[in-house]
Amino acid sequence: MSDLSAAKRVAVVAPHPDDEVLGCGGTMARLAQQGAEVHVVIVTRGQEPAFSKAYMDHVMAEADRAHALLGVKQTHRLDLPAAALDTLPASKVNARIGECLSEIAPDTLFVPFIGDIHLDHQIVFTSSMVWARPRSASAPARVLAYETLSETNWYAAGTTPAFMPDYFVDIGDHLETKLAAFAKFESQMKDSPDERSLETIRALAVMRGSTVYCPAAEAFMAIRQIWRGR
């Protein structure tokens, strides 16, 4: 068994700012409270002319405020082009993500789900898994994929990989912190019934919690768990 109570250094890889809060903001807050060192890797940044520098500076500032609420130790920005990772050589994306994760040296790694509709998410999952290959004792003992509202559930389940959670984290004591953190992303937040609304984020957490008899939970797919030692 390799559970999150053993996590000491945690890396959450986010294709775009806010994915990490949507996917595992409550878990990040819980891990930070229990003493783990939590790092966030934001892989992409919107590029001009599609996104102005002023707008992206604003979004990154929102991320900083959200991460402060969650107890994040450090935010790492790779500034690769958003919605254009497929235009880069895979070796470049692998190298940038790999170098950052090697610097962090996490024992626990959270990644987006391979079946998300956004191609950036799929590429970030694959590149993260390239780094996480268990080729030495320093490979992370835990790798979990998180779900992202309006990405994980928008693909064609049945013909593409479906998110089928098998690992749940009770965030009953941290749901309000997660919601407060996402509220810092004023540029990304929408009114209900949009999925990027606080009401929907709460509803998903309550629903995931109810399936495992918790007041609120975040759901993951366990990609790999290693119980080291004898």
Side-chain angles (χ1 to χ4, degrees):
M1 183 177 181
S2 180
D3 64 50
L4 290 177
S5 64
K8 301 300 181 186
R9 290 177 65 84
V10 177
V12 181
V13 187
H16 317 101
D18 83 358
D19 290 329
E20 72 288 357
V21 178
L22 287 167
C24 46
T27 301
M28 291 160 60
R30 179 172 175 175
L31 286 167
Q33 186 180 69
Q34 77 177 29
E37 189 174 290
V38 179
H39 294 252
V40 174
V41 181
I42 299 177
V43 176
T44 71
R45 178 186 176 97
Q47 308 290 317
E48 294 180 314
F51 302 93
S52 71
K53 181 179 183 302
Y55 172 76
M56 287 312 305
D57 287 346
H58 177 69
V59 173
M60 292 302 180
E62 291 176 334
D64 287 339
R65 291 191 287 271
H67 294 173
L69 274 180
L70 297 174
V72 172
K73 171 74 173 181
Q74 186 175 352
T75 302
H76 309 256
R77 297 184 175 86
L78 306 188
D79 291 340
L80 296 177
L85 287 182
D86 58 317
T87 67
L88 302 177
S91 59
K92 180 176 181 178
V93 181
N94 292 350
R96 291 294 303 280
I97 292 176
E99 289 165 2
C100 186
L101 290 176
S102 292
E103 177 185 336
I104 299 168
D107 55 52
T108 303
L109 180 65
F110 290 92
V111 296
F113 177 55
I114 183 63
D116 286 1
I117 193 171
H118 202 308
L119 191 54
D120 281 358
H121 287 229
Q122 299 172 32
I123 292 170
V124 168
F125 171 89
T126 301
S127 292
S128 299
M129 291 305 297
V130 167
W131 175 82
R133 289 174 293 181
R135 301 177 70 175
S136 75
S138 63
R142 292 159 290 278
V143 182
L144 297 107
Y146 57 83
E147 63 178 331
T148 310
L149 279 164
S150 79
E151 302 293 352
T152 304
N153 57 306
W154 276 8
Y155 219 1
T159 58
T160 60
F163 186 79
M164 302 176 67
D166 56 5
Y167 197 103
F168 297 81
V169 176
D170 183 346
I171 62 164
D173 292 337
H174 301 90
L175 177 56
E176 297 307 321
T177 302
K178 172 176 179 165
L179 295 171
F182 189 75
K184 297 299 181 183
F185 284 100
E186 296 176 0
S187 64
Q188 310 302 311
M189 196 165 52
K190 306 294 184 182
D191 293 330
S192 180
D194 191 279
E195 289 191 299
R196 294 297 179 99
S197 66
L198 295 179
E199 292 85 351
T200 299
I201 297 169
R202 180 187 295 277
L204 177 62
V206 171
M207 186 275 288
R208 290 300 191 195
S210 294
T211 63
V212 291
Y213 206 76
C214 296
E218 288 172 335
F220 304 90
M221 287 187 68
I223 306 302
R224 180 182 301 125
Q225 296 191 77
I226 306 169
W227 187 13
R228 292 193 170 96
R230 297 182 179 181

